[in-house]
């Protein structure tokens, strides 16, 4: 079923969650308010977990906001990342959440082609991915989209903090530290939003961006007031002695 679009946009045929239109999804992404208190070298990952860049999106050489983030690009980006993650075994709700988190990273300027800027050795981007068939965004509920669009930087900050103080994205023994750090953010996850595990968030959703991009999120969002006060207190923690 074709979803309602802006008057100046061509129609995009997308399968959506019941009661949720593509227009609403785009508005929830673009119109989400910033966070308020009221409301190294790394191991490689499977190719199915690589960041998927659709044919319609041009990633800049340096970290900067892409010029062409249209409704079509949003649809394509979510579709190809969701498809790749689910094919690699990530559960549907988690794949949708991870795809939304990746979308926020890219559309806010934290993806680039330059491996030096990303401070990585292995490029975990897949470029020029073709959208096959009708995009299926039925797992993207309005509650989840709004939650990620509002609190994405705080999730990123938790992962960046753990890498800084532990030297890896995730190990089972980090679970308590992740849980304590997230509790400090005092962010309530809605009951009908399934937030993935920290292992999935750190090693699947965010791993392709490289740790430098995560730290830039922290620096920029801390300066603009986009992080919770509880997380701000933890951003000055001493870093790990090494990051193998």
């Amino acid at each position: 079923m074709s979803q309602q679009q802006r008057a100046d946009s061509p129609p995009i045929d997308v399968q959506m969650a019941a009661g949720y239109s593509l227009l609403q999804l785009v508005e929830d992404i673009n119109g989400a308010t910033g966070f308020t208190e009221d409301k190294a070298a790394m191991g490689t990952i499977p190719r199915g977990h690589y960041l998927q860049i659709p044919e319609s999106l041009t990633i800049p050489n340096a970290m900067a906001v892409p010029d062409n983030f249209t409704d079509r690009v949003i649809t394509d980006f979510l579709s190809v990342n969701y498809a790749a993650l689910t094919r690699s075994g990530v559960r549907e709700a988690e794949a949708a959440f991870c795809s939304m988190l990746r979308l926020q990273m890219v559309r806010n300027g934290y993806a680039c082609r330059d491996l030096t800027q990303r401070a990585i050795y292995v490029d975990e981007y897949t470029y020029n991915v073709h959208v096959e068939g009708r995009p299926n965004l039925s797992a993207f509920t309005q509650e989840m989209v709004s939650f990620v669009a509002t609190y994405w930087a705080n999730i990123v900050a938790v992962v960046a903090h753990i890498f800084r103080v532990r030297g890896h994205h995730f190990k089972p023994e980090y679970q308590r530290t992740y849980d304590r750090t997230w509790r400090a953010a005092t962010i309530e996850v809605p009951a009908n939003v399934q937030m993935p595990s920290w292992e999935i968030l750190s090693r699947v959703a965010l791993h392709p961006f490289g740790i430098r991009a995560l730290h830039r999120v922290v620096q920029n969002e801390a300066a603009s007031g986009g992080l919770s006060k509880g997380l701000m207190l933890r951003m000055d923690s001493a870093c790990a002695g090494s990051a193998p």
Side-chain angles (χ1 to χ4, degrees):
M1 178 176 62
S2 296
Q3 300 298 323
Q4 183 183 3
Q5 287 283 292
R6 299 188 187 93
D8 60 349
S9 299
I12 304 173
D13 187 32
V14 182
Q15 182 179 345
M16 298 294 299
Y20 194 29
S21 72
L22 177 59
L23 176 62
Q24 288 174 306
L25 179 144
V26 172
E27 289 180 345
D28 287 334
I29 292 170
N30 291 330
T33 58
F35 176 83
T36 67
E37 287 296 320
D38 295 330
K39 305 196 190 166
M42 304 177 294
T44 58
I45 59 176
R47 288 190 176 275
H49 294 172
Y50 280 20
L51 180 69
Q52 306 295 303
I53 310 297
E55 295 170 322
S56 56
L57 175 61
T58 301
I59 296 294
N61 290 326
M63 286 190 193
V65 176
D67 293 330
N68 64 329
F69 235 95
T70 63
D71 292 8
R72 167 65 70 181
V73 170
I74 290 175
T75 303
D76 290 351
F77 183 93
L78 293 176
S79 176
V80 297
N81 279 275
Y82 174 77
L85 292 175
T86 52
R87 281 197 300 266
S88 69
V90 180
R91 291 183 295 180
E92 292 182 354
E94 292 182 331
F97 194 108
C98 290
S99 299
M100 264 300 301
L101 188 56
R102 289 178 169 189
L103 177 73
Q104 294 302 321
M105 288 289 292
V106 173
R107 73 189 297 270
N108 282 283
Y110 297 105
C112 71
R113 291 177 175 269
D114 189 340
L115 302 191
T116 302
Q117 278 211 17
R118 283 190 262 158
I120 61 171
Y121 297 103
V122 178
D123 191 355
E124 295 176 354
Y125 290 6
T126 300
Y127 293 97
N128 300 317
V129 180
H130 179 67
V131 178
E132 299 178 2
R134 183 187 184 200
N136 182 358
L137 302 184
S138 58
F140 292 76
T141 65
Q142 184 169 15
E143 293 81 5
M144 182 276 288
V145 169
S146 296
F147 178 80
V148 179
T150 302
Y151 298 113
W152 69 276
N154 289 268
I155 297 170
V156 173
V158 172
V159 175
H161 169 72
I162 299 302
F163 192 98
R164 176 179 173 83
V165 300
R166 292 291 184 265
H168 290 277
H169 284 84
F170 185 87
K171 290 184 178 181
E173 55 265 34
Y174 298 172
Q175 186 63 54
R176 283 188 174 184
T177 308
Y178 263 114
D179 292 341
R180 285 197 304 268
T181 306
W182 180 244
R183 283 197 299 269
T186 63
I187 295 172
E188 183 176 353
V189 181
N192 53 356
V193 172
Q194 182 180 335
M195 186 165 166
S197 68
W198 288 108
E199 182 175 11
I200 293 292
L201 290 170
S202 62
R203 297 181 66 178
V204 177
L206 296 173
H207 199 283
F209 293 94
I211 196 63
R212 178 173 289 172
L214 307 190
H215 286 314
R216 286 196 180 184
V217 172
V218 173
Q219 292 168 355
N220 293 339
E221 293 296 320
S224 65
L227 299 183
S228 87
K229 293 178 181 177
L231 290 182
M232 290 285 291
L233 293 174
R234 285 159 173 76
M235 292 304 104
D236 292 329
S237 300
C239 62
S242 62

